[in-house]
């Protein structure tokens, strides 16, 4: 009698996950999704720019990017067009992106060196706004994905205030840190789940407008312009009425003065 076979088939190791696709490649195939007008404050004066969204799909990845270019800013009561790098779309400056890798179920935020702004937008809060846009998009698409750690590193000449500002930038969006040195100038920022990130910015300092918002704003401006023109017309009519009344008073006064002078002369002639 043959003994029953107890040998189990050998266990096979799971196939290794493919390497994430390069973000440069994904950037090259990304298609525009649309644009929005952004109102912001630069140096205490209003300014406007254009936010462009783009997205790339592959079997492995879902890639989303936002880029910003300045349009015009107010200075000394005049609107001046923005020029140079501040008015251009860049792959490095004034932009942010997120890559969702489906095999590993992870999200990587970029640029990898951190969001960099051209000089005109330094201190405006534009970096926080751009970062918040890609976070909100990722939360809406794959909130269950984990966040791949991103490296932030600052030079040895970094001041304490600069270090605190850098840390606050990431912490304000809900990221956690894994410090790589005792001075806390190099760190990995991460989060367990994309859905636990925040995606917030100062909405009083930077305000995006979609097409419906722009139409509403134009309609409000037309209404305000009509009201101002009506008030101006009323003021002009009132001014004309006052001028006519004043002219009438002057004419009456001149007539009364003439009558008075004539009466005085007649009286003097009668006495003489």
């Amino acid at each position: 009698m043959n003994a029953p076979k107890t040998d189990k088939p050998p266990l096979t190791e799971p196939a290794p996950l493919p390497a994430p696709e390069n973000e440069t490649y994904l950037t090259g195939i990304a298609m525009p999704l649309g644009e929005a007008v952004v109102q912001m404050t630069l140096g205490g004066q209003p300014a406007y720019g254009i936010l462009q969204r783009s997205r790339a799909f592959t079997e492995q990845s879902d890639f989303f990017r936002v880029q910003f270019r300045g349009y015009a800013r107010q200075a000394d009561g005049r609107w001046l067009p923005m020029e140079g790098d501040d008015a251009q779309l860049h792959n490095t400056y004034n932009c942010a992106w997120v890559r969702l890798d489906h095999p590993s179920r992870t999200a990587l935020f970029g640029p990898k060196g951190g969001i960099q702004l051209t000089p005109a937008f330094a201190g405006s809060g534009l970096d926080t706004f751009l970062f918040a846009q890609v976070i909100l998009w990722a939360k809406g698409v794959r909130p269950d994905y984990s966040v791949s750690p991103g490296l932030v590193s600052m030079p040895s000449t970094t001041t304490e205030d600069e270090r605190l500002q850098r840390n606050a930038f990431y912490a304000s969006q809900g990221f956690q840190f894994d410090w790589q040195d005792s001075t806390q100038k190099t760190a990995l920022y991460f989060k367990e789940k994309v859905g636990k990130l925040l995606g917030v910015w100062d909405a009083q300092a930077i305000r995006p407008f979609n097409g419906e918002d722009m139409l509403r704003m134009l309609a409000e401006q037309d209404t305000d312009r009509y009201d101002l023109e009506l008030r101006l017309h009323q003021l002009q009519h009132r001014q004309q009425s006052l001028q006519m009344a004043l002219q009438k008073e002057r004419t009456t006064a001149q007539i009364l003065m003439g009558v008075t002078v004539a009466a005085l002369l007649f009286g003097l002639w009668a006495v003489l």
Side-chain angles (χ1 to χ4, degrees):
M1 184 174 179
N2 295 330
K5 293 182 178 181
T6 58
D7 295 339
K8 295 181 180 180
L11 296 176
T12 58
E13 294 184 0
L17 296 176
E21 292 183 305
N22 185 277
E23 59 273 5
T24 302
Y25 163 72
L26 295 171
T27 295
I29 65 173
M31 299 297 293
L33 292 178
E35 295 182 340
V37 176
V38 176
Q39 181 186 45
M40 60 195 311
T41 302
L42 296 178
Q45 298 294 321
Y48 286 91
I50 306 297
L51 181 73
Q52 184 181 90
R53 306 180 184 92
S54 58
R55 188 176 182 181
F57 296 95
T58 68
E59 291 185 2
Q60 180 175 343
S61 306
D62 197 346
F63 179 83
F64 178 74
R65 180 178 63 164
V66 292
Q67 297 169 280
F68 179 85
R69 62 181 178 88
Y71 180 73
R73 63 184 300 174
Q74 195 174 67
D76 299 327
R78 298 184 302 160
W79 283 101
L80 303 176
M82 303 199 75
E83 300 176 342
D85 286 340
D86 300 324
Q88 304 294 325
L89 293 177
H90 299 274
N91 291 329
T92 303
Y93 298 101
N94 305 336
C95 69
W97 52 259
V98 58
R99 182 194 65 207
L100 303 178
D101 184 65
H102 301 312
S104 63
R105 299 177 62 83
T106 59
L108 177 68
F109 292 91
K112 293 179 180 179
I115 298 177
Q116 302 180 55
L117 303 179
T118 51
F121 303 111
S124 66
L126 177 62
D127 49 357
T128 302
F129 170 73
L130 295 174
F131 205 23
Q133 302 312 299
V134 295
I135 290 174
L136 290 173
W137 178 86
K139 288 179 64 174
V141 176
R142 297 290 182 177
D144 57 321
Y145 279 19
S146 61
V147 178
S148 294
L151 177 66
V152 289
S153 180
M154 305 190 78
S156 58
T157 55
T158 301
T159 65
E160 181 65 11
D161 286 343
E162 291 173 336
R163 186 183 68 82
L164 293 175
Q165 289 176 3
R166 188 278 313 268
N167 296 346
F169 175 79
Y170 291 97
S172 66
Q173 300 295 353
F175 286 98
Q176 298 169 267
F177 296 94
D178 181 11
W179 306 110
Q180 305 296 299
D181 64 295
S182 59
T183 61
Q184 296 188 352
K185 290 184 178 180
T186 302
L188 294 174
Y189 63 92
F190 65 95
K191 196 68 175 180
E192 180 185 358
K193 297 295 181 183
V194 169
K196 293 184 178 181
L197 297 175
L198 300 179
V200 295
W201 75 93
D202 185 355
Q204 298 298 320
I206 299 183
R207 182 184 177 190
F209 295 89
N210 57 29
E212 183 177 347
D213 292 331
M214 289 299 298
L215 291 175
R216 184 184 301 110
M217 186 171 66
L218 290 174
E220 291 174 353
Q221 289 178 347
D222 284 342
T223 300
D224 292 342
R225 182 165 54 249
Y226 173 80
D227 291 340
L228 288 173
E229 290 175 350
L230 180 60
R231 289 180 59 188
L232 179 61
H233 176 74
Q234 292 172 342
L235 290 173
Q236 290 174 338
H237 179 72
R238 183 179 178 185
Q239 183 181 25
Q240 291 175 354
S241 299
L242 290 173
Q243 289 176 339
M244 292 177 63
L246 180 60
Q247 185 61 38
K248 184 177 180 181
E249 290 291 334
R250 288 176 177 173
T251 302
T252 302
Q254 290 174 352
I255 293 173
L256 290 175
M257 182 177 293
V259 171
T260 301
V261 171
L264 289 173
L265 291 175
F266 181 78
L268 290 173
W269 178 78
V271 171
L272 296 175

